[in-house]
Amino acid sequence: MELKRVVVTGLGAVTPLGNNPKETWENMLAGKSGAAPITLFDASKFKTQFACEVKNLNVTDFIDRKEARKMDRYTQLAIIAAKQAVEDSKMDLDAEDMNRIGVVFGVGIGGIKTFEEEVSYYGVHREDGPKFNPFFIPKMIADIAAGQISIMYGFHGPNYITSSACASSSNALADAFNLIRLGKANVIVAGGAEAAICETGVGGFNAMHALSTRNDEPEKASRPFSASRDGFIMGEGAGCLILEELEHAKARGAQIYGEMVGAGMSADAHHITASHPEGLGAKLVMQNALEDAGMKPEDIDYINVHGTSTHVGDISEAKAIKEVFGQHAFELNISSTKSMTGHLLGAAGAVEAMATLLAVKNDIIPPTINHEEDDKDEEIDYNLNFTFNKAQKREVRAGLSNTFGFGGHNACVVFKKYAE
């Protein structure tokens, strides 16, 4: 069977750098940090007191107030990003076969704030006995974001979430890509969302010693590939891409941002939280993605790396890139947009895929910020071009985006310029 081609025709994003794709992308190129002291709860007693929060967002500009109260924050963010993407795609939904439009979203944790509130404050510990909100379960469950988006529009195609920790929304994009190229759908609203900046989320990651504690300089705390890195910054947000079968997009005269051409998956099979120190899973996932795309290493000009600003993770990913790309590794650009957005967990893959796609479309690489010349790790080869501190213009024929999750889950997606 001949596989169908898949293009991207719409984008949506709510991130610590902006409440739409344009603002997010412009601030990425400017090297702006989204980190600041936490405002969503009192973090004064926590080891980490800062995060990359979504800012100045009025949810009721997008969602009816009564309906918004029935949703966890992560679902609200997912819906807003999806609405932006659907609007950006300019689909005439009255003319579409709604049975051929689906929703596949990724989320690593789900409604953790709802769970925290219901169990800690309202439910189990009440003196007069447990009393739960009737919307507790449908607000909390991880799949509800995809369900809410399909209900909102009446999309009757494939509908589910993928959950593979920080690889979740890259897995969602991979599934959506395969559903379309196998002819199972015309359009998939694909992306990811997460909103875990709460006492439980920050406290849990603090207990693992996963988060940076650079409380005096939050905006400089995420510093991938620098020797002084001390952990990632918790972020929140959502990203959404409209993936569409090429002939369907052409028939309606859709704008085309670029073409998705491959996806890879692998497992480290090593440790519940740490990546393989030699980057074996990272190496395999990039090789699988390139093979799926029918591309050679030298066809890639940009890698949006997982690059979380953790000690082992950054070293192992740099090693894997050198092994997969050989001499060409020194010719391509590498950058970690997590240095600006923080780690968006289940939303990371979607937002970073958008950044990769826009880099391909616009021939410009967003930077890895916060690197200082004398802050070098002896285990990292700085002959690689990490695009430190300043965006770089260059031809970008194709790019890939890496996301790796706790449990050893690895996913990689590949985009290239669209051409007939």
Side-chain angles (χ1 to χ4, degrees), residues 34 40 258:
L40 292 170

Side-chain angles (χ1 to χ4, degrees), residues 293-310:
M295 301 177 80
K296 299 176 182 178
E298 54 266 31
D299 295 327
I300 301 297
D301 292 317
Y302 171 52
I303 303 175
N304 187 298
V305 291
H306 186 57
T308 57
S309 191
T310 58

Side-chain angles (χ1 to χ4, degrees), residues 118-408:
E118 290 290 329
V119 173
S120 298
Y121 307 147
Y122 307 132
V124 175
H125 302 297
R126 288 173 61 100
E127 290 184 2
D128 56 347
K131 185 176 182 181
F132 289 93
N133 187 312
F135 291 103
F136 169 37
I137 298 300
K139 283 178 69 175
M140 177 197 69
I141 52 178
D143 71 293
I144 203 66
Q148 288 276 23
I149 293 165
S150 72
I151 291 166
M152 179 171 61
Y153 287 106
F155 295 149
H156 291 286
N159 182 269
Y160 58 95
I161 66 104
T162 55
S163 187
S164 47
C166 305
S168 295
S169 52
S170 290
N171 278 127
L173 291 170
D175 278 14
F177 172 63
N178 285 321
L179 285 166
I180 294 170
R181 67 175 177 170
L182 291 171
K184 306 297 184 183
N186 295 334
V187 179
I188 301 286
V189 180
E194 201 81 86
I197 302 174
C198 59
E199 291 96 326
T200 307
V202 173
F205 281 108
N206 264 161
M208 296 171 57
H209 304 287
L211 300 181
S212 171
T213 56
R214 194 184 287 258
N215 294 310
D216 55 336
E217 293 182 305
E219 69 284 355
K220 296 182 179 180
S222 184
R223 43 182 56 224
F225 306 106
S226 292
S228 61
R229 63 194 184 279
D230 70 329
F232 70 81
I233 301 180
M234 179 86 80
E236 63 172 357
C240 185
L241 286 72
I242 303 298
L243 299 188
E244 188 167 352
E245 193 272 321
L246 173 60
E247 296 306 319
H248 183 272
K250 287 167 65 176
R252 68 178 188 85
Q255 65 178 340
I256 294 176
Y257 284 96
E259 183 172 2
M260 184 169 177
V261 290
M265 288 165 271
S266 76
D268 276 8
H270 169 68
H271 188 272
I272 57 171
T273 57
S275 58
H276 192 285
E278 297 303 316
L280 296 187
K283 176 183 174 182
L284 180 59
V285 78
M286 288 187 281
Q287 290 172 329
N288 289 343
L290 289 170
E291 180 181 358
D292 191 48
M295 301 177 80
K296 299 176 182 178
E298 54 266 31
D299 295 327
I300 301 297
D301 292 317
Y302 171 52
I303 303 175
N304 187 298
V305 291
H306 186 57
T308 57
S309 191
T310 58
H311 179 70
V312 174
D314 289 1
I315 293 170
S316 62
E317 190 171 11
K319 287 180 179 178
I321 289 169
K322 288 176 65 176
E323 287 207 36
V324 172
F325 290 88
Q327 188 58 39
H328 183 64
F330 303 100
E331 304 299 323
L332 50 77
N333 278 71
I334 297 162
S335 74
S336 171
T337 49
K338 287 186 182 73
S339 62
M340 297 171 282
T341 66
H343 195 344
L344 305 186
L345 308 179
V351 172
E352 290 160 19
M354 182 191 77
T356 304
L357 178 67
L358 291 175
V360 171
K361 182 179 186 296
N362 296 300
D363 290 319
I364 188 167
I365 310 295
T368 304
I369 68 168
N370 293 328
H371 181 72
E372 298 163 8
E373 185 61 30
D374 61 351
D375 190 16
K376 292 185 176 178
D377 186 327
E378 63 182 15
E379 295 187 71
I380 292 175
D381 187 346
Y382 291 95
N383 291 309
L384 295 169
N385 185 356
F386 292 105
T387 322
F388 283 133
N389 299 324
K390 187 176 180 180
Q392 183 177 330
K393 289 285 291 182
R394 64 162 293 169
E395 180 186 16
V396 189
R397 300 163 299 165
L400 61 81
S401 177
N402 286 334
T403 47
F404 312 143
F406 285 175

Side-chain angles (χ1 to χ4, degrees), residues 20-153:
N20 56 64
K22 183 177 184 294
E23 188 179 0
T24 296
W25 178 239
E26 288 175 350
N27 282 326
M28 274 186 185
L29 294 182
K32 183 177 180 180
S33 171
I38 290 171
T39 66
L40 292 170
F41 69 94
D42 180 4
S44 59
K45 296 181 180 179
F46 286 74
K47 293 178 183 177
T48 298
Q49 299 168 8
F50 62 96
C52 286
E53 298 177 344
V54 169
K55 304 166 186 69
N56 304 315
L57 179 70
N58 187 355
V59 171
T60 55
D61 287 345
F62 301 89
I63 306 170
D64 175 78
R65 185 180 301 275
K66 183 177 179 181
E67 293 302 311
R69 291 178 63 189
K70 302 174 187 176
M71 301 173 189
D72 187 86
R73 182 173 173 84
Y74 101 91
T75 301
Q76 295 172 352
L77 298 178
I79 286 177
I80 293 168
K83 278 190 167 186
Q84 290 176 359
V86 171
E87 181 178 340
D88 186 42
S89 75
K90 297 179 174 58
M91 280 188 292
D92 179 0
L93 297 181
D94 291 332
E96 291 291 334
D97 181 352
M98 303 298 259
N99 295 334
R100 301 278 299 170
I101 303 178
V103 183
V104 183
F105 251 64
V107 59
I109 299 174
I112 187 171
K113 179 62 176 176
T114 294
F115 184 87
E116 174 186 274
E117 290 177 344
E118 290 290 329
V119 173
S120 298
Y121 307 147
Y122 307 132
V124 175
H125 302 297
R126 288 173 61 100
E127 290 184 2
D128 56 347
K131 185 176 182 181
F132 289 93
N133 187 312
F135 291 103
F136 169 37
I137 298 300
K139 283 178 69 175
M140 177 197 69
I141 52 178
D143 71 293
I144 203 66
Q148 288 276 23
I149 293 165
S150 72
I151 291 166
M152 179 171 61
Y153 287 106

